[in-house]
């Protein structure tokens, strides 16, 4: 259709008619039905909608948010919402009548409306603060548990469990309930060892204290950071198990987009490995420790066994690159089938020594055999749903599809405006269990 043609004007007029007559009509019906049972709040909201009816674009956004549940556009909605004078509790009630919301959406809406994390958590925790149709009731109806909301808030604000402990206590949660919650987050009832029960506040100081392992590797300490950085929409690519024959390809792609990443290495004492470690370091990436042996039954047999294996990898990295690695990743992640009995003690000892470990919150799926298409779709999709992403990938001898898809995934994410960074000691860890498990 040519601009300015008769056909063009026909379509234009038709479109205008639809906008002028049908959209307000449909919206009136929609809001009429939606708000039929609602009192002053709904009226206010509808009046506000009418007052901006000429702005069809904004109106349909509002309609989408309420009717279709396009909650990602909550910020667009906020301007209109603000004029209506409707309280957020009322809005949540209205929205919930029509559309089931998940905890993240709830949080996004409330947070977008300027409700502080503390207020949200207070509402979540204290069950009768919001009046008749309380926030808590709405959450419960949606199957949202306190823990879930707390997790979202902790993830968003970078707060530590200790900070939330105070708020939760004020809200009337008992130590037992809080400890139970923290233990559940770790996926194991006994995780956290003695911490569970008496004090849910984990010791994250990293200060050398009395430890049965203090006599081992007396030089293997690093200074623990005092504060942590947690930045929205930053992607931390992590490559486990290298160096491998794929290392140089990965480095080439990272260089192409000027991206710094983190390599959790499984180093060996040979020239080839030393060369690859130096290449990783020379490109400015973080060299972090994964394991020397990567043998689960061996390294998780005891704290001593873990330290011995870690020490070997740590030493090789230092010999090859001069780098004193400060961060690490547990083979299999911090929670796996092999470390149930020892994980608490290992985490405590490594934390005491100042080392910080990272799990991940986006799994590329490469080690699970994901194909190109699956990875190309799932990695960006998962990243979009995450406040900041620590992405698990592998630099393995087996040619996973990682190397094949990396270029295209990076291109996509760079175009979407994401920032990339390497993990360093001040990066707030992402952990399944332990001091920084949400
Ligand atoms: Zn591994």
């Amino acid at each position: 259709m040519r601009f300015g043609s008769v056909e063009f004007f026909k379509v234009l007029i038709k479109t205008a008619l639809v906008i002028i007559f049908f959209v307000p009509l449909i919206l009136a019906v929609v809001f009429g039905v939606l708000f039929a049972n609602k009192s002053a709040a709904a009226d206010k909201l509808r009046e506000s909608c009418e007052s901006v009816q000429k702005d069809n674009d904004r109106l349909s956004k509002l309609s989408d948010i309420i009717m279709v549940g396009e909650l990602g556009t909550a910020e667009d909605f906020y301007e209109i919402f603000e004029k209506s004078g409707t309280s957020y509790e009322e809005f949540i009630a209205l929205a919930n009548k029509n559309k089931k919301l998940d905890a993240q959406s709830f949080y996004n809406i409330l947070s977008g409306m300027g409700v502080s994390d503390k207020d949200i958590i207070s509402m979540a925790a204290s069950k009768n603060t919001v009046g008749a149709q309380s926030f808590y009731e709405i959450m419960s109806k949606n199957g949202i548990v306190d823990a879930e909301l707390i997790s979202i808030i902790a993830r968003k604000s970078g707060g530590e469990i200790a900070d939330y402990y105070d708020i939760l206590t004020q809200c009337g949660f008992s130590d037992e309930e809080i400890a139970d919650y923290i233990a559940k987050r770790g996926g194991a009832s006994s995780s956290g060892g003695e911490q569970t029960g008496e004090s849910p506040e984990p010791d994250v100081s990293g200060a050398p204290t009395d430890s049965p392992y203090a006599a081992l590797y007396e030089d293997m300490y690093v200074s623990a950071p005092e504060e942590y950085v947690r930045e929205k929409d930053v992607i931390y690519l992590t490559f486990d198990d290298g160096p491998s024959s794929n290392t140089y390809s990965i480095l080439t792609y990272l260089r192409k987009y000027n991206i710094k990443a983190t390599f959790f290495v499984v180093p060996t004492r040979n020239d080839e490995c030393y060369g690859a470690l130096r290449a990783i370091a020379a490109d400015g990436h973080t060299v972090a420790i994964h394991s020397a042996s990567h043998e689960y039954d061996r390294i998780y047999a005891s704290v001593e066994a873990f330290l011995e294996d870690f020490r070997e990898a740590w030493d090789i990295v230092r010999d090859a690159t001069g780098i004193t690695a400060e961060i690490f990743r547990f083979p299999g992640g911090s929670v796996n089938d092999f470390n149930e009995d020892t994980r608490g003690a290992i985490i405590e000892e490594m934390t005491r020594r100042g080392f910080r470990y990272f799990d991940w919150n986006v799994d590329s799926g490469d080690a699970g055999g994901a194909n190109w298409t699956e990875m190309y779709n799932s990695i960006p999709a998962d990243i979009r749903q995450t406040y900041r992403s620590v992405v698990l990938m592998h630099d393995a001898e087996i040619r996973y599809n990682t190397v094949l898809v990396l270029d295209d995934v990076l291109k996509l994410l760079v175009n979407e405006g994401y920032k990339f960074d390497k993990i360093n000691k001040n990066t707030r860890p992402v952990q399944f269990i332990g001091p920084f498990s949400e």
Side-chain angles (χ1 to χ4, degrees), residues 147-158:
E148 201 181 344
L149 197 70
I150 291 162
S151 301
I152 292 163
I153 293 162
R155 200 153 54 220
K156 163 109 194 309
S157 65

Side-chain angles (χ1 to χ4, degrees), residues 240-242 264 266 290-291 294 296 329-333 392-394:
D240 287 14
D241 301 353
F264 291 100
V266 180
H290 198 32
S291 174
H294 209 283
Y296 294 161
R329 171 170 286 159
F330 286 107
L392 172 67
M393 294 177 159
H394 291 83

Side-chain angles (χ1 to χ4, degrees), residues 123-170:
M123 280 191 278
S126 62
K127 316 188 178 189
N128 298 306
T129 47
V130 196
Q133 189 153 18
S134 76
F135 181 82
Y136 188 81
E137 283 167 9
I138 299 165
M139 282 209 316
S140 306
K141 251 188 249 163
N142 282 281
I144 298 161
V145 293
D146 293 350
E148 201 181 344
L149 197 70
I150 291 162
S151 301
I152 292 163
I153 293 162
R155 200 153 54 220
K156 163 109 194 309
S157 65
E160 291 171 19
I161 293 286
D163 300 333
Y164 291 97
Y165 175 74
D166 293 340
I167 302 172
L168 289 169
T169 309
Q170 282 162 26

Side-chain angles (χ1 to χ4, degrees), residues 125-388:
S126 62
K127 316 188 178 189
N128 298 306
T129 47
V130 196
Q133 189 153 18
S134 76
F135 181 82
Y136 188 81
E137 283 167 9
I138 299 165
M139 282 209 316
S140 306
K141 251 188 249 163
N142 282 281
I144 298 161
V145 293
D146 293 350
E148 201 181 344
L149 197 70
I150 291 162
S151 301
I152 292 163
I153 293 162
R155 200 153 54 220
K156 163 109 194 309
S157 65
E160 291 171 19
I161 293 286
D163 300 333
Y164 291 97
Y165 175 74
D166 293 340
I167 302 172
L168 289 169
T169 309
Q170 282 162 26
C171 291
F173 275 89
S174 70
D175 280 2
E176 212 172 40
E177 283 171 311
I178 299 169
D180 192 41
Y181 154 67
I182 292 168
K184 269 189 214 135
R185 291 294 302 164
S189 57
S190 62
S191 63
E194 311 107 69
Q195 289 163 3
T196 314
E198 277 180 47
S199 165
E201 295 179 62
D203 175 20
V204 295
S205 67
T209 51
D210 286 340
S211 157
Y213 312 103
L216 297 168
Y217 316 110
E218 285 173 311
D219 63 335
M220 199 167 72
Y221 285 86
V222 292
S223 60
E226 306 214 323
E227 46 186 49
Y228 295 92
V229 175
R230 191 169 170 284
E231 219 185 321
K232 192 175 179 347
D233 291 335
V234 174
I235 298 170
Y236 300 91
L237 299 175
T238 66
F239 298 92
D240 287 14
D241 301 353
S244 75
S245 56
N246 290 309
T247 304
Y248 292 96
S249 306
I250 293 170
L251 291 176
T252 304
Y253 291 128
L254 295 174
R255 214 176 295 132
K256 179 176 172 183
Y257 297 99
N258 194 24
I259 287 169
K260 302 299 177 211
T262 304
F263 290 75
F264 291 100
V265 298
V266 180
T268 45
R269 292 193 186 274
N270 63 59
D271 290 345
E272 209 182 330
C273 179
Y274 275 39
L277 291 172
R278 288 187 191 117
I280 294 168
D283 273 8
H285 304 296
T286 293
V287 182
I289 304 302
H290 198 32
S291 174
S293 70
H294 209 283
E295 285 172 25
Y296 294 161
D297 3 356
R298 185 167 137 194
I299 63 177
Y300 294 128
S302 64
V303 176
E304 289 91 338
F306 184 87
L307 290 174
E308 187 186 354
D309 174 82
F310 181 90
R311 171 68 188 206
E312 172 68 357
W314 191 69
D315 246 4
I316 298 174
V317 167
R318 200 169 48 172
D319 286 352
T321 66
I323 292 170
T324 302
E326 295 177 310
I327 56 173
F328 69 104
R329 171 170 286 159
F330 286 107
S334 63
V335 178
N336 59 66
D337 293 343
F338 296 83
N339 71 358
E340 205 177 334
D341 297 334
T342 53
R343 65 173 76 117
I346 294 172
I347 288 171
E348 194 178 324
E349 177 59 13
M350 292 302 285
T351 302
R352 188 185 72 84
R353 288 173 182 263
F355 296 101
R356 296 292 175 261
Y357 67 91
F358 283 72
D359 287 310
W360 55 89
N361 56 17
V362 172
D363 183 352
S364 70
D366 58 355
N371 64 33
W372 193 96
T373 312
E374 285 163 349
M375 290 175 74
Y376 185 75
N377 289 324
S378 77
I379 297 170
D382 291 350
I383 284 171
R384 287 182 206 113
Q385 285 177 21
T386 311
Y387 181 81
R388 55 161 193 165

Side-chain angles (χ1 to χ4, degrees), residues 5-20:
S5 68
V6 172
E7 194 194 344
F8 172 82
F9 283 111
K10 275 186 191 165
V11 172
L12 186 68
I13 288 163
K14 275 184 198 162
T15 308
L17 285 174
V18 167
I19 289 169
I20 291 164

